[in-house]
């Protein structure tokens, strides 16, 4: 029952599948048939039974339909067979009729074709004439275009192309030759662009080669204008008596002659200067600009031009490696830069938009930074002040030229202040050599004069005032030849420094300040250094050192005249609040102190040389009865030296004398206490005492005036008290009064006395072999030993106290 129920349920499903197979396309039967196999088992067999039943039903229906229509089909075939005979007869008749018509119309057809052919030819001729009349202007314009291209009239050719494209080509655009012409125009435009660009490249190459000439002409013109303005201003100042700089050597008549000569030279040179338009043909630029403007590609042209010019600017700004060696190297560098920017300024003013003010300012700022870096680097190699001065003049002309074209040049003048410091350094080095040569050539003797003419010659070189020198001749100036020469060279240095300050657009106050500062550097650094080096030279003796001190005194006094000299140049009063003073006082004071110290050193060295000649017999039993020869020679030398010191300031001579006596006293004391000296006899002490007496007599003779009382003799007080102690053998008093302010032997050190006493003890032992058999000698030895013990106690007490 279950199976029969299941089979009944599948029958409607099989009918549905059969309907889908009959109604759907054969391509979509696959999914429908697949559903048969996806159903319950044995569904396939049941579906096949159902399919066979459906096929048998359809076959029965087909058979019924064929039986129904079969008689009509037979009747139709019979009718067609009857009509076939009539149709063949009709076909024969139509063919015959057509043949007869064809034969009858052959002649008409021939004539008609001739007429048609003639009319077509006539129409074609008319059309051709009309088209030719339409094409002739196009061909004429195209011919004109070719002629313009051949004649290199590219701008006109571009205008002709515009007319062809806008007016003529639209009329004949349907013709092939027109299409060929239209296709050829872009090529012609490109050719024009290439040709014009080639002309531009030639132009750029030309101005690169002519930059030096252009810059030279522009700088020359600017220099002439400036010279003319300055000359005119000077002429007005001369006329109204308002000279900016006081110069007693130039008279008004000479000024007028110089100005007249300047104007004449200006007129002559003015004819020779060529303008930038005369030196350079700018037509390629104008042509190329117009061509690219017409082509609508002006931006490309502008970018290319600016890019190429920037490349040229970098090449122009690149200096030669040896530029700093000659002024011509700097001149070439400046002229090519000026030439570059003069061309750019011309392009800026005669074209619209090719270059702009912002572009030129940017280019100038870039160039200015490079120029300053180059000049700063190369000028540092310049060691010749004349070359630095010429460089400064070139920079001023360079700056004035470009300022005339509207370029800012303040940074160049700031650079000039840096170069000014370098210029001053080169001047200082040059003048250091000049000062050294002057000192080498000086004889360090007072300047002798035999008559008034020689006196006036010296006075014209150096401001010295002494009424006594004017009265009678021959006489001597206190200073040596180097003093007027130094004074003249300082003035020359001021003139040289002033040359750099000219044309810097600075006020008189600033120029005055610059001159004073540079002069101070000359005095405090260069001259002072030369003086110190001179003083320290081994061959400079005491006489020369004395003369150097005298020279520095007069140079110091002359500084006020140098200040007046600068004031006369700048017209700035010394009473102005911000006026810099000359440091001559400190400069020459330092040199004098160094010379004084060198005098003390050399004097002590000379004393040491004499002391080294001493040849004492430290074991002598009796003195010679007279002072040692070396000491007398030393005293005579000191007397002669101190005679020379009379020209020195009193304090210097007194200090030198006191220093010499103290050094001599110290040297004699060291001679007694020398560790290599093992024994001293009483006879040697007495001989040494005679030498010290001579020293005291020398000190008492007042070799240098100005000492009060026995001040100079105090230099030998240590020796005197020590020798008195040993000569008198007053040990009881020394030991009793030791440490008392009123002690007779206050300056005798126990350690010094002990050292000398030990040397005398050793001598007594060696010289008196039988001293132990004599009572006096035994007592003396005991006394010495007792004194030595007490002295050792004092020395030990001093050590513990310390």
């Amino acid at each position: 029952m279950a199976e029969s129920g299941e089979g009944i349920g599948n029958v409607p499903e099989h009918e549905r599948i059969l309907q889908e197979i009959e109604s759907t396309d054969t391509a979509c039967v696959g999914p429908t048939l697949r559903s048969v196999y996806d159903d319950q088992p044995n569904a396939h067999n049941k579906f096949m039974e159902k399919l066979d039943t459906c096929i048998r039903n359809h076959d029965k229906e087909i058979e019924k339909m064929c039986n129904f229509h079969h008689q009509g089909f037979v009747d139709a075939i019979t009718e067609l067979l009857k009509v076939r005979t009539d149709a063949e007869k009709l076909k024969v008749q139509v063919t015959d009729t057509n043949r007869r018509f064809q034969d009858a119309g052959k002649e008409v057809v021939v004539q008609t074709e001739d007429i048609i052919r003639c009319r077509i030819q006539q129409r074609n001729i008319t059309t051709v004439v009309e088209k030719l009349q339409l094409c002739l202007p196009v061909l004429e314009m195209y011919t004109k275009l070719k002629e313009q291209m051949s004649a290199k009239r590219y701008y006109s050719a571009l205008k002709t192309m515009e007319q062809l494209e806008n007016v003529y080509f639209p009329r004949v655009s349907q013709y092939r030759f027109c299409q060929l012409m239209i296709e050829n125009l872009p090529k012609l435009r490109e050719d024009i662009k290439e040709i014009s660009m080639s002309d531009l490249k030639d132009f750029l190459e030309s101005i690169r080669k002519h930059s030096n000439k252009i810059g030279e002409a522009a700088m020359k013109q600017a220099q002439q204008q400036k010279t003319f303005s300055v000359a005119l201003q000077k002429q007005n100042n001369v006329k109204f008596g308002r000279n900016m700089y006081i110069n007693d050597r130039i008279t008004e008549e000479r000024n007028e002659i110089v100005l007249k000569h300047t104007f004449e030279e200006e007129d002559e040179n003015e004819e020779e200067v060529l303008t930038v338009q005369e030196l350079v043909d700018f037509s390629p630029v104008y042509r190329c600009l117009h061509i690219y403007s017409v082509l609508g590609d002006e931006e490309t042209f502008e970018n290319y031009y600016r890019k190429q010019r920037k490349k040229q600017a970098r090449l122009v700004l690149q200096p030669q490696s040896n530029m700093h060696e000659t002024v011509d190297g700097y001149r070439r560098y400046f002229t090519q830069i000026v030439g570059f920017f003069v061309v750019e300024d011309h392009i800026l003013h005669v074209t619209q938009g090719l270059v702009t003010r912002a572009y030129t300012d940017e280019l100038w700022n870039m160039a200015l930074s490079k120029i300053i870096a180059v000049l700063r680097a190369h000028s540092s190699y310049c060691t010749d002040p004349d070359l630095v001065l010429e460089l400064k003049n070139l920079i001023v002309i360079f700056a004035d030229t470009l300022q005339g074209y509207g370029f800012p040049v303040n940074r160049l003048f700031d650079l000039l202040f840096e170069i000014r410091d370098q210029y001053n350094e080169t001047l200082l080095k040059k003048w250091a050599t000049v000062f050294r040569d002057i000192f080498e050539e000086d004889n360090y003797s007072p300047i002798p004069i035999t008559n008034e003419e020689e006196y006036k010659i010296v006075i014209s070189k150096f401001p010295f005032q002494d009424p006594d020198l004017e009265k009678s001749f021959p006489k001597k100036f206190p200073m040596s030849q180097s003093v007027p020469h130094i004074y003249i060279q300082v003035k020359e240095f001021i003139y040289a420094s002033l040359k750099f300050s000219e044309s810097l657009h600075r006020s008189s106050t600033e120029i005055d300040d610059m001159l004073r500062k540079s002069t101070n550097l000359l005095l405090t650094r260069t001259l002072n250094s030369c003086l110190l080096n001179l003083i320290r030279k081994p061959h400079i003796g005491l006489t020369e050192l004395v003369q150097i001190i005298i020279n520095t005194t007069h140079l110091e006094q002359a500084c006020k005249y140098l200040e007046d000299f600068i004031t006369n140049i700048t017209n700035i009063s010394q009473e102005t609040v911000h006026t810099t003073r000359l440091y001559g006082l400190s400069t020459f004071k330092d040199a004098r102190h160094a010379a004084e110290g060198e005098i003390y050193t050399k004097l002590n060295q000379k004393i040491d040389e004499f002391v080294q000649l001493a040849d004492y017999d430290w074991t002598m039993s009796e003195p010679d009865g007279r002072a040692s020869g070396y000491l007398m020679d030393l005293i005579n030398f000191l007397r002669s030296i101190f005679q020379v010191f009379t020209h020195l300031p009193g304090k210097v001579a007194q200090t030198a004398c006191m220093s010499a006596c103290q050094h001599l006293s110290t040297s004699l004391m060291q001679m007694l206490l020398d560790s290599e000296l093992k024994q001293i006899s009483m006879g040697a002490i007495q001989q040494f005492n005679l030498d010290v007496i001579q020293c005291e007599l020398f000190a008492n003779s007042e070799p240098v005036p100005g000492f009060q009382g026995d001040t100079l003799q105090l230099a030998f007080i240590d020796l005197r008290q020590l020798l008195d102690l040993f000569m008198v053998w007053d040990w009881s008093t020394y030991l009793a009064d030791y440490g008392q302010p009123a002690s007779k032997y206050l300056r005798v050190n126990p350690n010094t006395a002990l050292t000398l006493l030990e040397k005398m003890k050793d001598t007594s032992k060696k010289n008196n072999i039988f001293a132990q058999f004599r009572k006096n000698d035994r007592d003396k030895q005991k006394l010495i030993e007792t004194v030595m013990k007490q002295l050792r106690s004092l020395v030990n007490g001093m050590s513990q106290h310390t």
Side-chain angles (χ1 to χ4, degrees), residues 158-424:
L158 289 174
K159 290 297 183 182
T160 303
M161 289 184 196
E162 285 185 358
Q163 290 182 352
L164 284 170
E165 288 179 329
N166 297 329
V167 179
Y168 294 97
F169 282 165
R171 301 175 187 174
V172 293
S173 58
Q174 68 275 22
Y175 301 113
R176 185 180 176 187
F177 78 90
C178 180
Q179 294 300 322
L180 293 174
M181 290 180 181
I182 292 174
E183 293 173 0
N184 196 35
L185 288 187
K187 183 178 181 301
L188 292 176
R189 285 194 173 93
E190 288 300 322
D191 291 343
I192 291 174
K193 287 176 69 174
E194 291 177 1
I195 293 171
S196 59
M197 187 58 70
S198 177
D199 291 343
L200 177 65
K201 291 178 181 178
D202 294 340
F203 166 78
L204 293 175
E205 182 65 21
S206 174
I207 60 174
R208 188 184 69 82
K209 293 180 179 178
H210 290 84
S211 288
N212 280 326
K213 291 183 179 179
I214 298 169
E216 186 177 352
M219 291 176 68
K220 190 173 183 181
Q221 189 174 12
Q223 187 176 11
Q224 288 177 354
Q225 291 175 354
K226 182 177 180 180
T227 305
F228 180 80
S229 300
V230 172
L232 188 62
Q233 185 178 4
K234 286 183 179 180
Q235 188 182 43
N236 293 334
N237 290 340
V238 169
K239 186 179 294 184
F240 292 101
R242 291 184 285 107
N243 291 335
M244 292 180 65
Y245 301 108
I246 297 176
N247 192 338
D248 297 334
R249 295 174 293 180
I250 301 177
T251 62
E252 183 175 353
E253 180 180 357
R254 183 179 176 186
N255 278 336
E256 291 180 354
I257 294 172
V258 170
L259 292 174
K260 182 178 180 182
H261 181 64
T262 301
F263 289 138
E264 290 175 354
E265 285 186 351
E266 192 72 26
D267 294 337
E268 291 176 0
N269 294 333
E270 216 171 75
E271 298 176 359
E272 300 174 0
V273 178
L274 299 176
T275 62
V276 64
Q277 294 88 345
E278 294 171 336
L279 290 171
V280 180
D281 179 18
F282 288 92
S283 59
V285 181
Y286 308 147
R287 239 185 350 258
C288 200
L289 178 60
H290 291 158
I291 288 170
Y292 273 79
S293 299
V294 171
L295 294 174
D297 204 8
E298 186 175 0
E299 184 177 355
T300 301
F301 172 73
E302 292 174 2
N303 293 335
Y304 176 81
Y305 177 83
R306 294 179 184 181
K307 181 180 179 181
Q308 293 301 316
R309 289 297 279 165
K310 283 184 179 179
K311 287 183 179 179
Q312 288 188 347
R314 293 188 185 94
L315 292 175
V316 164
L317 295 172
Q318 192 66 32
Q320 296 181 353
S321 58
N322 61 343
M323 183 178 73
H324 59 277
E325 295 179 358
T326 61
V327 70
D328 291 334
Y330 287 107
R331 183 178 289 109
R332 283 192 298 270
Y333 183 67
F334 286 129
T335 53
Q336 64 184 9
I337 294 174
V338 170
F340 178 89
F341 282 100
V342 167
V343 170
E344 289 304 288
D345 181 76
H346 180 78
I347 294 293
L348 172 67
H349 288 90
V350 300
T351 60
Q352 294 182 352
L354 180 55
V355 295
T356 61
R357 175 55 67 183
Y359 161 78
T360 55
D361 289 344
E362 178 188 358
L363 200 59
W364 169 245
N365 290 330
M366 180 272 291
L368 189 58
S369 299
K370 177 67 174 178
I371 292 167
I372 291 174
V374 167
L375 292 178
R376 188 179 284 123
H378 281 264
S379 62
S380 62
Y381 297 110
C382 295
T383 57
D384 182 7
D386 295 332
L387 180 58
V388 178
L389 184 61
E390 290 180 348
L391 172 60
K392 167 258 174 181
N393 293 330
L394 281 175
I395 294 176
V396 170
I397 297 172
F398 174 75
D400 290 342
T401 303
L402 290 174
Q403 190 175 28
Y405 286 92
F407 294 100
V409 294
N410 292 334
R411 291 173 62 190
L412 285 174
F413 285 102
D414 294 338
L415 174 66
L416 283 173
F417 277 89
E418 297 180 22
I419 297 178
R420 181 202 66 190
D421 296 336
Q422 182 185 346
Y423 174 72
N424 286 337

Side-chain angles (χ1 to χ4, degrees), residues 647-666:
H647 298 290
L648 289 174
K651 185 178 180 181
V652 177
Q654 293 169 13
T655 304
C657 185
M658 177 60 75
S659 173
C661 291
Q662 289 176 344
H663 185 74
L664 177 58
S665 175
T666 302

Side-chain angles (χ1 to χ4, degrees), residues 13 18 62 145 157 166 237 278 305 322 332 353-354 417 421 425 476 548 574 589 601 717 746-747 784:
E13 180 67 22
L18 291 172
I62 291 170
L145 172 62
N166 297 329
N237 290 340
E278 294 171 336
Y305 177 83
N322 61 343
R332 283 192 298 270
L354 180 55
F417 277 89
D421 296 336
E425 288 297 324
K476 292 182 179 180
I548 289 172
Q574 299 181 31
K589 186 178 291 185
T601 302
I717 188 65
L746 181 64
R747 308 284 294 187
I784 290 175

Side-chain angles (χ1 to χ4, degrees), residues 764-782 785:
S764 298
K765 288 182 179 180
K766 292 178 182 179
N767 291 340
N768 300 305
I769 300 175
F770 301 101
Q772 56 183 342
F773 300 107
R774 293 195 294 270
K775 184 177 183 300
N776 291 335
D777 293 333
R778 289 199 304 271
D779 293 341
K780 186 176 181 181
Q781 288 294 330
K782 290 180 180 179
E785 290 176 357

Side-chain angles (χ1 to χ4, degrees), residues 7-22 33 36 39 42-59:
I8 294 170
N10 288 331
V11 171
E13 180 67 22
H14 292 159
E15 290 179 354
R16 183 185 62 78
I17 292 173
L18 291 172
Q19 290 176 0
E20 286 183 4
I21 292 172
E22 291 176 355
L33 294 176
V36 175
D39 289 336
N42 299 323
H44 170 68
N45 296 329
K46 293 176 182 180
F47 175 75
M48 292 303 293
E49 293 175 358
K50 189 66 175 176
L51 181 62
D52 291 338
T53 303
C54 184
I55 291 171
R56 287 193 298 271
N57 291 335
H58 282 296
D59 288 341

